[in-house]
Amino acid sequence: MESITFTALLPFIFILKPHQQFSMLKELRHDRHTVSLLTDHMVFSPKYRGKVLVGDVAMLAEAIIRKTCKELDIKIIDMSVSSDHIHLFIQYPPKYSVSFIAKRLKGRTSRILRQEFPELKKWCKKSLWAPSCYHGSVGHGWEVVENYIAGQDRKS
């Protein structure tokens, strides 16, 4: 497995939030044997709802998620990193389940963030994230979810 460093993740860090940069059209995904439009609104938080996703930790968490999604061919429609939770609105290929995606994102971010920021290891020994997360399948209500996530940026 390739080692991911902060410098390697710099291209995945955006100055503007995704909903400020572009608005993605509801495009069908055409793969070799399938046509799909699978979207999910995912929310996960650190253990004990700790307010640890601030500053460089938040920036690196967002970069890790963007890089992982790109590797898995998952399109990020919108994302918001608050101090105590992450909202992620994605379009994903049918070969992955939402539980697989959540496990991959949470596992990788936990490992890398706790390597880069040793103080997080003191706060939570084995894993950064709470074991639960929210998944909401999104059909025709894209605008509602995008507006909700955009509103999260103003609250944090």
Side-chain angles (χ1 to χ4, degrees), residues 74-136:
I74 295 170
K75 294 179 184 174
I76 297 176
I77 299 166
D78 208 350
M79 183 188 329
S80 172
V81 179
S82 298
S83 63
D84 64 349
H85 66 284
I86 293 178
H87 282 272
L88 191 56
F89 184 24
I90 58 171
Q91 181 182 12
Y92 60 97
K95 64 183 174 182
Y96 300 126
S97 68
V98 289
S99 62
F100 170 84
I101 295 167
K103 202 179 298 186
R104 178 66 61 95
L105 293 175
K106 289 168 69 175
R108 183 176 274 183
T109 54
S110 176
R111 182 175 47 81
I112 295 171
L113 289 174
R114 290 177 324 110
Q115 281 174 355
E116 293 292 322
F117 303 98
E119 64 272 15
L120 291 176
K121 278 187 180 176
K122 294 174 189 167
W123 179 73
C124 53
K125 300 229 183 301
K126 293 185 180 180
S127 176
L128 174 66
W129 304 108
S132 60
C133 66
Y134 167 80
H135 293 287

Short mmCIF file of all heavy atoms in Angstrom, two decimals, residues 74-136:
data_model
loop_
_atom_site.label_atom_id
_atom_site.label_comp_id
_atom_site.label_asym_id
_atom_site.label_seq_id
_atom_site.Cartn_x
_atom_site.Cartn_y
_atom_site.Cartn_z
N ILE A 74 -15.48 7.69 -7.49
CA ILE A 74 -16.66 8.24 -6.82
C ILE A 74 -16.63 9.74 -7.02
O ILE A 74 -15.61 10.39 -6.76
CB ILE A 74 -16.64 7.90 -5.31
CG1 ILE A 74 -16.75 6.39 -5.12
CG2 ILE A 74 -17.74 8.64 -4.58
CD1 ILE A 74 -16.50 5.94 -3.70
N LYS A 75 -17.74 10.30 -7.50
CA LYS A 75 -17.82 11.75 -7.72
C LYS A 75 -18.36 12.42 -6.47
O LYS A 75 -19.42 12.04 -5.97
CB LYS A 75 -18.73 12.07 -8.90
CG LYS A 75 -18.21 11.57 -10.22
CD LYS A 75 -19.17 11.90 -11.34
CE LYS A 75 -18.68 11.30 -12.65
NZ LYS A 75 -19.66 11.47 -13.72
N ILE A 76 -17.63 13.41 -5.98
CA ILE A 76 -18.12 14.18 -4.84
C ILE A 76 -18.96 15.32 -5.40
O ILE A 76 -18.46 16.19 -6.10
CB ILE A 76 -16.95 14.73 -4.00
CG1 ILE A 76 -16.16 13.56 -3.40
CG2 ILE A 76 -17.47 15.66 -2.91
CD1 ILE A 76 -14.93 13.98 -2.63
N ILE A 77 -20.24 15.30 -5.08
CA ILE A 77 -21.14 16.36 -5.51
C ILE A 77 -21.00 17.54 -4.57
O ILE A 77 -20.94 18.68 -4.99
CB ILE A 77 -22.60 15.84 -5.54
CG1 ILE A 77 -22.70 14.68 -6.52
CG2 ILE A 77 -23.56 16.97 -5.91
CD1 ILE A 77 -23.99 13.87 -6.41
N ASP A 78 -20.92 17.26 -3.27
CA ASP A 78 -20.75 18.31 -2.27
C ASP A 78 -20.14 17.71 -1.02
O ASP A 78 -20.30 16.52 -0.75
CB ASP A 78 -22.11 18.94 -1.94
CG ASP A 78 -22.01 20.38 -1.49
OD1 ASP A 78 -20.87 20.85 -1.24
OD2 ASP A 78 -23.04 21.04 -1.38
N MET A 79 -19.43 18.54 -0.26
CA MET A 79 -18.82 18.10 0.98
C MET A 79 -18.72 19.27 1.93
O MET A 79 -18.48 20.40 1.51
CB MET A 79 -17.41 17.54 0.74
CG MET A 79 -16.79 17.00 2.01
SD MET A 79 -15.04 16.49 1.98
CE MET A 79 -14.73 15.92 0.38
N SER A 80 -18.91 18.99 3.21
CA SER A 80 -18.72 20.00 4.25
C SER A 80 -18.03 19.34 5.43
O SER A 80 -18.50 18.31 5.92
CB SER A 80 -20.08 20.57 4.68
OG SER A 80 -19.92 21.41 5.80
N VAL A 81 -16.93 19.93 5.87
CA VAL A 81 -16.21 19.43 7.04
C VAL A 81 -16.46 20.42 8.17
O VAL A 81 -15.97 21.55 8.12
CB VAL A 81 -14.70 19.27 6.76
CG1 VAL A 81 -13.97 18.79 8.01
CG2 VAL A 81 -14.46 18.34 5.59
N SER A 82 -17.24 20.00 9.15
CA SER A 82 -17.48 20.82 10.34
C SER A 82 -16.55 20.32 11.44
O SER A 82 -15.91 19.28 11.30
CB SER A 82 -18.94 20.68 10.80
OG SER A 82 -19.81 21.14 9.80
N SER A 83 -16.49 21.03 12.55
CA SER A 83 -15.55 20.66 13.60
C SER A 83 -15.85 19.29 14.21
O SER A 83 -14.94 18.61 14.68
CB SER A 83 -15.53 21.73 14.70
OG SER A 83 -16.82 21.81 15.31
N ASP A 84 -17.12 18.86 14.17
CA ASP A 84 -17.47 17.59 14.81
C ASP A 84 -18.19 16.59 13.90
O ASP A 84 -18.73 15.59 14.39
CB ASP A 84 -18.29 17.83 16.07
CG ASP A 84 -19.63 18.48 15.78
OD1 ASP A 84 -19.86 18.93 14.64
OD2 ASP A 84 -20.46 18.52 16.71
N HIS A 85 -18.24 16.84 12.59
CA HIS A 85 -18.81 15.87 11.66
C HIS A 85 -18.51 16.26 10.22
O HIS A 85 -18.12 17.38 9.94
CB HIS A 85 -20.33 15.72 11.86
CG HIS A 85 -21.13 16.94 11.53
ND1 HIS A 85 -21.19 18.04 12.35
CD2 HIS A 85 -21.88 17.24 10.45
CE1 HIS A 85 -21.96 18.96 11.80
NE2 HIS A 85 -22.40 18.51 10.64
N ILE A 86 -18.70 15.28 9.33
CA ILE A 86 -18.47 15.50 7.90
C ILE A 86 -19.73 15.11 7.14
O ILE A 86 -20.30 14.04 7.38
CB ILE A 86 -17.28 14.66 7.39
CG1 ILE A 86 -15.98 15.15 8.02
CG2 ILE A 86 -17.18 14.70 5.87
CD1 ILE A 86 -14.75 14.36 7.63
N HIS A 87 -20.18 16.00 6.26
CA HIS A 87 -21.26 15.70 5.32
C HIS A 87 -20.62 15.42 3.98
O HIS A 87 -19.77 16.17 3.52
CB HIS A 87 -22.19 16.91 5.14
CG HIS A 87 -23.14 17.11 6.26
ND1 HIS A 87 -24.37 16.51 6.31
CD2 HIS A 87 -23.05 17.86 7.38
CE1 HIS A 87 -25.00 16.89 7.41
NE2 HIS A 87 -24.21 17.69 8.08
N LEU A 88 -21.07 14.36 3.34
CA LEU A 88 -20.54 13.98 2.04
C LEU A 88 -21.71 13.57 1.15
O LEU A 88 -22.51 12.72 1.53
CB LEU A 88 -19.57 12.82 2.23
CG LEU A 88 -18.67 12.39 1.11
CD1 LEU A 88 -17.82 13.54 0.60
CD2 LEU A 88 -17.77 11.27 1.57
N PHE A 89 -21.81 14.20 -0.01
CA PHE A 89 -22.85 13.88 -0.99
C PHE A 89 -22.14 13.36 -2.21
O PHE A 89 -21.37 14.09 -2.84
CB PHE A 89 -23.67 15.14 -1.28
CG PHE A 89 -24.84 14.95 -2.20
CD1 PHE A 89 -25.46 13.72 -2.37
CD2 PHE A 89 -25.35 16.02 -2.90
CE1 PHE A 89 -26.54 13.56 -3.21
CE2 PHE A 89 -26.43 15.89 -3.75
CZ PHE A 89 -27.03 14.65 -3.90
N ILE A 90 -22.34 12.08 -2.52
CA ILE A 90 -21.55 11.42 -3.56
C ILE A 90 -22.42 10.71 -4.59
O ILE A 90 -23.56 10.36 -4.31
CB ILE A 90 -20.58 10.38 -2.95
CG1 ILE A 90 -21.35 9.32 -2.14
CG2 ILE A 90 -19.50 11.05 -2.13
CD1 ILE A 90 -20.52 8.15 -1.68
N GLN A 91 -21.83 10.52 -5.77
CA GLN A 91 -22.38 9.63 -6.78
C GLN A 91 -21.36 8.51 -6.93
O GLN A 91 -20.18 8.77 -7.16
CB GLN A 91 -22.59 10.35 -8.11
CG GLN A 91 -23.19 9.46 -9.17
CD GLN A 91 -23.35 10.16 -10.52
OE1 GLN A 91 -22.83 11.24 -10.74
NE2 GLN A 91 -24.05 9.52 -11.42
N TYR A 92 -21.81 7.27 -6.79
CA TYR A 92 -20.87 6.16 -6.74
C TYR A 92 -21.24 5.07 -7.74
O TYR A 92 -22.40 4.93 -8.12
CB TYR A 92 -20.79 5.60 -5.32
CG TYR A 92 -22.10 5.06 -4.78
CD1 TYR A 92 -22.40 3.71 -4.85
CD2 TYR A 92 -23.04 5.92 -4.22
CE1 TYR A 92 -23.58 3.21 -4.37
CE2 TYR A 92 -24.23 5.43 -3.73
CZ TYR A 92 -24.51 4.08 -3.80
OH TYR A 92 -25.69 3.60 -3.32
N PRO A 93 -20.26 4.26 -8.15
CA PRO A 93 -20.53 3.17 -9.09
C PRO A 93 -21.25 2.01 -8.39
O PRO A 93 -21.06 1.81 -7.19
CB PRO A 93 -19.14 2.75 -9.57
CG PRO A 93 -18.20 3.24 -8.56
CD PRO A 93 -18.83 4.40 -7.87
N PRO A 94 -22.03 1.25 -9.14
CA PRO A 94 -22.80 0.17 -8.53
C PRO A 94 -21.97 -0.99 -7.98
O PRO A 94 -22.48 -1.81 -7.23
CB PRO A 94 -23.71 -0.32 -9.67
CG PRO A 94 -23.12 0.20 -10.92
CD PRO A 94 -22.32 1.40 -10.57
N LYS A 95 -20.69 -1.04 -8.29
CA LYS A 95 -19.87 -2.14 -7.77
C LYS A 95 -19.54 -1.98 -6.29
O LYS A 95 -19.05 -2.91 -5.66
CB LYS A 95 -18.58 -2.28 -8.58
CG LYS A 95 -17.64 -1.10 -8.52
CD LYS A 95 -16.44 -1.35 -9.43
CE LYS A 95 -15.55 -0.13 -9.50
NZ LYS A 95 -14.44 -0.37 -10.42
N TYR A 96 -19.80 -0.79 -5.71
CA TYR A 96 -19.53 -0.55 -4.29
C TYR A 96 -20.82 -0.39 -3.51
O TYR A 96 -21.78 0.20 -4.00
CB TYR A 96 -18.71 0.73 -4.10
CG TYR A 96 -17.37 0.74 -4.78
CD1 TYR A 96 -17.03 1.77 -5.64
CD2 TYR A 96 -16.44 -0.27 -4.57
CE1 TYR A 96 -15.80 1.80 -6.28
CE2 TYR A 96 -15.21 -0.26 -5.21
CZ TYR A 96 -14.90 0.77 -6.06
OH TYR A 96 -13.70 0.79 -6.69
N SER A 97 -20.80 -0.87 -2.27
CA SER A 97 -21.92 -0.60 -1.36
C SER A 97 -21.57 0.65 -0.56
O SER A 97 -20.40 1.01 -0.42
CB SER A 97 -22.13 -1.78 -0.42
OG SER A 97 -21.03 -1.90 0.47
N VAL A 98 -22.58 1.29 0.00
CA VAL A 98 -22.31 2.50 0.79
C VAL A 98 -21.54 2.13 2.06
O VAL A 98 -20.71 2.92 2.53
CB VAL A 98 -23.59 3.30 1.12
CG1 VAL A 98 -24.12 3.98 -0.12
CG2 VAL A 98 -24.65 2.45 1.76
N SER A 99 -21.75 0.94 2.59
CA SER A 99 -20.99 0.54 3.77
C SER A 99 -19.51 0.34 3.43
O SER A 99 -18.63 0.70 4.22
CB SER A 99 -21.58 -0.72 4.41
OG SER A 99 -21.52 -1.80 3.51
N PHE A 100 -19.21 -0.21 2.24
CA PHE A 100 -17.82 -0.35 1.80
C PHE A 100 -17.17 1.03 1.66
O PHE A 100 -16.04 1.24 2.10
CB PHE A 100 -17.75 -1.09 0.46
CG PHE A 100 -16.37 -1.05 -0.17
CD1 PHE A 100 -15.41 -1.96 0.20
CD2 PHE A 100 -16.05 -0.08 -1.12
CE1 PHE A 100 -14.13 -1.93 -0.37
CE2 PHE A 100 -14.79 -0.04 -1.69
CZ PHE A 100 -13.83 -0.96 -1.32
N ILE A 101 -17.89 1.97 1.05
CA ILE A 101 -17.35 3.32 0.85
C ILE A 101 -17.07 3.99 2.19
O ILE A 101 -16.00 4.55 2.42
CB ILE A 101 -18.32 4.17 -0.01
CG1 ILE A 101 -18.42 3.57 -1.42
CG2 ILE A 101 -17.86 5.63 -0.07
CD1 ILE A 101 -19.57 4.14 -2.25
N ALA A 102 -18.04 3.91 3.11
CA ALA A 102 -17.85 4.51 4.43
C ALA A 102 -16.67 3.89 5.16
O ALA A 102 -15.84 4.59 5.75
CB ALA A 102 -19.13 4.36 5.26
N LYS A 103 -16.56 2.56 5.09
CA LYS A 103 -15.47 1.86 5.76
C LYS A 103 -14.12 2.29 5.20
O LYS A 103 -13.16 2.53 5.93
CB LYS A 103 -15.67 0.35 5.59
CG LYS A 103 -14.95 -0.48 6.61
CD LYS A 103 -15.20 -1.97 6.40
CE LYS A 103 -16.67 -2.29 6.55
NZ LYS A 103 -16.93 -3.74 6.51
N ARG A 104 -14.03 2.40 3.87
CA ARG A 104 -12.77 2.80 3.23
C ARG A 104 -12.41 4.24 3.61
O ARG A 104 -11.27 4.53 3.97
CB ARG A 104 -12.92 2.67 1.71
CG ARG A 104 -11.72 3.09 0.90
CD ARG A 104 -10.49 2.22 1.10
NE ARG A 104 -10.68 0.84 0.72
CZ ARG A 104 -10.35 0.34 -0.46
NH1 ARG A 104 -9.80 1.10 -1.37
NH2 ARG A 104 -10.55 -0.93 -0.70
N LEU A 105 -13.38 5.17 3.53
CA LEU A 105 -13.11 6.57 3.85
C LEU A 105 -12.74 6.75 5.32
O LEU A 105 -11.76 7.43 5.65
CB LEU A 105 -14.31 7.44 3.50
CG LEU A 105 -14.67 7.56 2.02
CD1 LEU A 105 -15.96 8.34 1.85
CD2 LEU A 105 -13.55 8.20 1.24
N LYS A 106 -13.50 6.15 6.20
CA LYS A 106 -13.24 6.30 7.63
C LYS A 106 -11.93 5.63 8.03
O LYS A 106 -11.16 6.19 8.82
CB LYS A 106 -14.42 5.74 8.43
CG LYS A 106 -15.67 6.61 8.33
CD LYS A 106 -16.91 5.93 8.86
CE LYS A 106 -16.90 5.76 10.33
NZ LYS A 106 -18.17 5.20 10.85
N GLY A 107 -11.65 4.46 7.47
CA GLY A 107 -10.42 3.76 7.81
C GLY A 107 -9.18 4.51 7.38
O GLY A 107 -8.24 4.69 8.16
N ARG A 108 -9.18 4.97 6.14
CA ARG A 108 -8.00 5.68 5.63
C ARG A 108 -7.80 7.02 6.34
O ARG A 108 -6.68 7.35 6.72
CB ARG A 108 -8.13 5.90 4.12
CG ARG A 108 -6.90 6.57 3.54
CD ARG A 108 -6.98 6.70 2.06
NE ARG A 108 -6.50 5.48 1.42
CZ ARG A 108 -6.40 5.33 0.12
NH1 ARG A 108 -6.77 6.29 -0.70
NH2 ARG A 108 -5.94 4.21 -0.39
N THR A 109 -8.86 7.79 6.51
CA THR A 109 -8.70 9.09 7.18
C THR A 109 -8.26 8.91 8.62
O THR A 109 -7.40 9.64 9.10
CB THR A 109 -10.00 9.93 7.13
OG1 THR A 109 -11.09 9.17 7.66
CG2 THR A 109 -10.30 10.41 5.73
N SER A 110 -8.81 7.91 9.31
CA SER A 110 -8.42 7.67 10.70
C SER A 110 -6.92 7.35 10.79
O SER A 110 -6.20 7.94 11.59
CB SER A 110 -9.23 6.51 11.28
OG SER A 110 -8.80 6.21 12.59
N ARG A 111 -6.49 6.44 9.94
CA ARG A 111 -5.07 6.02 9.97
C ARG A 111 -4.14 7.18 9.67
O ARG A 111 -3.19 7.45 10.41
CB ARG A 111 -4.84 4.88 8.98
CG ARG A 111 -3.43 4.34 8.97
CD ARG A 111 -3.26 3.14 8.05
NE ARG A 111 -3.84 3.30 6.74
CZ ARG A 111 -3.25 3.96 5.73
NH1 ARG A 111 -2.07 4.52 5.90
NH2 ARG A 111 -3.85 4.05 4.55
N ILE A 112 -4.41 7.91 8.60
CA ILE A 112 -3.49 8.98 8.18
C ILE A 112 -3.54 10.16 9.15
O ILE A 112 -2.50 10.71 9.53
CB ILE A 112 -3.80 9.43 6.74
CG1 ILE A 112 -3.52 8.28 5.77
CG2 ILE A 112 -2.98 10.66 6.37
CD1 ILE A 112 -4.00 8.53 4.36
N LEU A 113 -4.73 10.56 9.57
CA LEU A 113 -4.82 11.70 10.49
C LEU A 113 -4.13 11.41 11.81
O LEU A 113 -3.45 12.28 12.37
CB LEU A 113 -6.29 12.09 10.73
CG LEU A 113 -7.00 12.75 9.56
CD1 LEU A 113 -8.49 12.95 9.87
CD2 LEU A 113 -6.36 14.08 9.19
N ARG A 114 -4.27 10.18 12.31
CA ARG A 114 -3.62 9.85 13.58
C ARG A 114 -2.11 9.69 13.42
O ARG A 114 -1.37 9.89 14.37
CB ARG A 114 -4.27 8.62 14.20
CG ARG A 114 -5.68 8.96 14.68
CD ARG A 114 -6.54 7.85 15.26
NE ARG A 114 -6.39 6.56 14.65
CZ ARG A 114 -5.80 5.52 15.25
NH1 ARG A 114 -5.34 5.63 16.47
NH2 ARG A 114 -5.70 4.37 14.63
N GLN A 115 -1.64 9.39 12.20
CA GLN A 115 -0.19 9.36 11.95
C GLN A 115 0.36 10.79 11.90
O GLN A 115 1.41 11.08 12.46
CB GLN A 115 0.12 8.69 10.61
CG GLN A 115 0.08 7.20 10.62
CD GLN A 115 0.25 6.62 9.21
OE1 GLN A 115 0.31 7.34 8.22
NE2 GLN A 115 0.32 5.30 9.14
N GLU A 116 -0.34 11.67 11.20
CA GLU A 116 0.12 13.05 11.01
C GLU A 116 -0.05 13.92 12.26
O GLU A 116 0.69 14.86 12.46
CB GLU A 116 -0.63 13.70 9.84
CG GLU A 116 -0.33 13.10 8.49
CD GLU A 116 1.11 13.37 8.02
OE1 GLU A 116 1.62 14.49 8.27
OE2 GLU A 116 1.69 12.46 7.42
N PHE A 117 -1.07 13.61 13.06
CA PHE A 117 -1.36 14.41 14.26
C PHE A 117 -1.40 13.47 15.47
O PHE A 117 -2.47 12.99 15.86
CB PHE A 117 -2.70 15.15 14.10
CG PHE A 117 -2.74 16.04 12.89
CD1 PHE A 117 -3.35 15.61 11.72
CD2 PHE A 117 -2.16 17.30 12.91
CE1 PHE A 117 -3.38 16.41 10.59
CE2 PHE A 117 -2.18 18.11 11.79
CZ PHE A 117 -2.79 17.67 10.62
N PRO A 118 -0.24 13.21 16.09
CA PRO A 118 -0.16 12.25 17.20
C PRO A 118 -1.08 12.58 18.38
O PRO A 118 -1.48 11.68 19.11
CB PRO A 118 1.31 12.31 17.63
CG PRO A 118 2.04 12.86 16.45
CD PRO A 118 1.07 13.74 15.73
N GLU A 119 -1.44 13.84 18.53
CA GLU A 119 -2.35 14.21 19.63
C GLU A 119 -3.72 13.54 19.47
O GLU A 119 -4.43 13.31 20.45
CB GLU A 119 -2.51 15.74 19.75
CG GLU A 119 -3.15 16.42 18.56
CD GLU A 119 -2.19 16.83 17.46
OE1 GLU A 119 -1.04 16.36 17.44
OE2 GLU A 119 -2.60 17.64 16.61
N LEU A 120 -4.08 13.18 18.25
CA LEU A 120 -5.34 12.47 18.02
C LEU A 120 -5.28 11.05 18.56
O LEU A 120 -6.30 10.50 18.99
CB LEU A 120 -5.70 12.45 16.52
CG LEU A 120 -6.08 13.77 15.90
CD1 LEU A 120 -6.31 13.62 14.40
CD2 LEU A 120 -7.32 14.37 16.56
N LYS A 121 -4.09 10.44 18.56
CA LYS A 121 -3.93 9.09 19.12
C LYS A 121 -4.18 9.10 20.62
O LYS A 121 -4.70 8.14 21.17
CB LYS A 121 -2.53 8.56 18.84
CG LYS A 121 -2.35 7.98 17.48
CD LYS A 121 -0.98 7.34 17.38
CE LYS A 121 -0.77 6.76 16.00
NZ LYS A 121 0.56 6.22 15.83
N LYS A 122 -3.77 10.18 21.28
CA LYS A 122 -4.00 10.28 22.73
C LYS A 122 -5.49 10.41 23.02
O LYS A 122 -5.99 9.90 24.01
CB LYS A 122 -3.24 11.47 23.30
CG LYS A 122 -1.75 11.34 23.22
CD LYS A 122 -1.06 12.60 23.66
CE LYS A 122 0.42 12.52 23.37
NZ LYS A 122 1.08 13.82 23.49
N TRP A 123 -6.18 11.11 22.14
CA TRP A 123 -7.61 11.36 22.34
C TRP A 123 -8.45 10.12 22.05
O TRP A 123 -9.41 9.83 22.75
CB TRP A 123 -8.04 12.54 21.45
CG TRP A 123 -9.48 12.86 21.56
CD1 TRP A 123 -10.12 13.48 22.61
CD2 TRP A 123 -10.49 12.57 20.60
NE1 TRP A 123 -11.44 13.58 22.34
CE2 TRP A 123 -11.70 13.04 21.12
CE3 TRP A 123 -10.48 11.96 19.35
CZ2 TRP A 123 -12.90 12.92 20.44
CZ3 TRP A 123 -11.67 11.85 18.68
CH2 TRP A 123 -12.85 12.32 19.22
N CYS A 124 -8.09 9.38 21.00
CA CYS A 124 -8.82 8.15 20.65
C CYS A 124 -7.80 7.11 20.22
O CYS A 124 -7.17 7.26 19.19
CB CYS A 124 -9.85 8.42 19.57
SG CYS A 124 -9.20 9.23 18.12
N LYS A 125 -7.65 6.08 20.98
CA LYS A 125 -6.56 5.13 20.79
C LYS A 125 -6.64 4.32 19.49
O LYS A 125 -5.69 4.24 18.74
CB LYS A 125 -6.52 4.18 21.98
CG LYS A 125 -6.30 4.91 23.29
CD LYS A 125 -5.22 4.27 24.08
CE LYS A 125 -5.01 4.90 25.42
NZ LYS A 125 -4.66 6.27 25.45
N LYS A 126 -7.80 3.69 19.20
CA LYS A 126 -7.86 2.75 18.08
C LYS A 126 -8.43 3.33 16.80
O LYS A 126 -8.03 2.95 15.71
CB LYS A 126 -8.67 1.53 18.48
CG LYS A 126 -8.00 0.70 19.54
CD LYS A 126 -8.76 -0.55 19.83
CE LYS A 126 -8.06 -1.36 20.90
NZ LYS A 126 -8.75 -2.58 21.21
N SER A 127 -9.38 4.21 16.90
CA SER A 127 -10.02 4.74 15.71
C SER A 127 -10.52 6.15 15.97
O SER A 127 -11.01 6.44 17.06
CB SER A 127 -11.20 3.84 15.30
OG SER A 127 -11.87 4.40 14.20
N LEU A 128 -10.41 7.00 14.98
CA LEU A 128 -10.86 8.38 15.11
C LEU A 128 -12.38 8.49 15.06
O LEU A 128 -12.97 9.31 15.75
CB LEU A 128 -10.24 9.21 13.97
CG LEU A 128 -10.69 10.65 13.84
CD1 LEU A 128 -10.25 11.46 15.05
CD2 LEU A 128 -10.13 11.27 12.57
N TRP A 129 -13.03 7.66 14.25
CA TRP A 129 -14.45 7.83 13.96
C TRP A 129 -15.35 7.00 14.85
O TRP A 129 -15.00 5.89 15.25
CB TRP A 129 -14.72 7.46 12.50
CG TRP A 129 -13.89 8.26 11.56
CD1 TRP A 129 -12.83 7.81 10.83
CD2 TRP A 129 -14.00 9.65 11.27
NE1 TRP A 129 -12.29 8.83 10.10
CE2 TRP A 129 -12.99 9.98 10.35
CE3 TRP A 129 -14.87 10.65 11.69
CZ2 TRP A 129 -12.82 11.25 9.84
CZ3 TRP A 129 -14.69 11.93 11.19
CH2 TRP A 129 -13.68 12.22 10.28
N ALA A 130 -16.53 7.54 15.13
CA ALA A 130 -17.57 6.78 15.81
C ALA A 130 -17.96 5.61 14.89
O ALA A 130 -17.89 5.73 13.67
CB ALA A 130 -18.78 7.67 16.07
N PRO A 131 -18.37 4.48 15.45
CA PRO A 131 -18.67 3.32 14.61
C PRO A 131 -19.90 3.50 13.72
O PRO A 131 -20.05 2.82 12.72
CB PRO A 131 -18.89 2.19 15.62
CG PRO A 131 -19.14 2.86 16.92
CD PRO A 131 -18.48 4.20 16.88
N SER A 132 -20.77 4.42 14.05
CA SER A 132 -21.99 4.60 13.27
C SER A 132 -21.83 5.74 12.26
O SER A 132 -20.92 6.55 12.37
CB SER A 132 -23.16 4.92 14.20
OG SER A 132 -22.88 6.11 14.91
N CYS A 133 -22.71 5.76 11.29
CA CYS A 133 -22.78 6.89 10.37
C CYS A 133 -24.17 6.92 9.75
O CYS A 133 -24.92 5.95 9.85
CB CYS A 133 -21.69 6.86 9.30
SG CYS A 133 -21.77 5.53 8.13
N TYR A 134 -24.51 8.03 9.13
CA TYR A 134 -25.81 8.20 8.50
C TYR A 134 -25.65 8.03 6.99
O TYR A 134 -24.70 8.53 6.40
CB TYR A 134 -26.36 9.61 8.79
CG TYR A 134 -27.54 9.97 7.92
CD1 TYR A 134 -28.81 9.51 8.21
CD2 TYR A 134 -27.36 10.76 6.78
CE1 TYR A 134 -29.89 9.83 7.41
CE2 TYR A 134 -28.44 11.08 5.96
CZ TYR A 134 -29.70 10.61 6.28
OH TYR A 134 -30.76 10.92 5.48
N HIS A 135 -26.59 7.31 6.38
CA HIS A 135 -26.65 7.19 4.92
C HIS A 135 -28.06 7.55 4.50
O HIS A 135 -29.02 7.01 5.04
CB HIS A 135 -26.37 5.75 4.44
CG HIS A 135 -24.99 5.29 4.67
ND1 HIS A 135 -23.93 5.75 3.93
CD2 HIS A 135 -24.46 4.43 5.57
CE1 HIS A 135 -22.83 5.17 4.34
NE2 HIS A 135 -23.12 4.37 5.34
N GLY A 136 -28.17 8.43 3.54
CA GLY A 136 -29.47 8.76 2.98
C GLY A 136 -29.40 8.66 1.47
O GLY A 136 -28.65 9.40 0.83
#
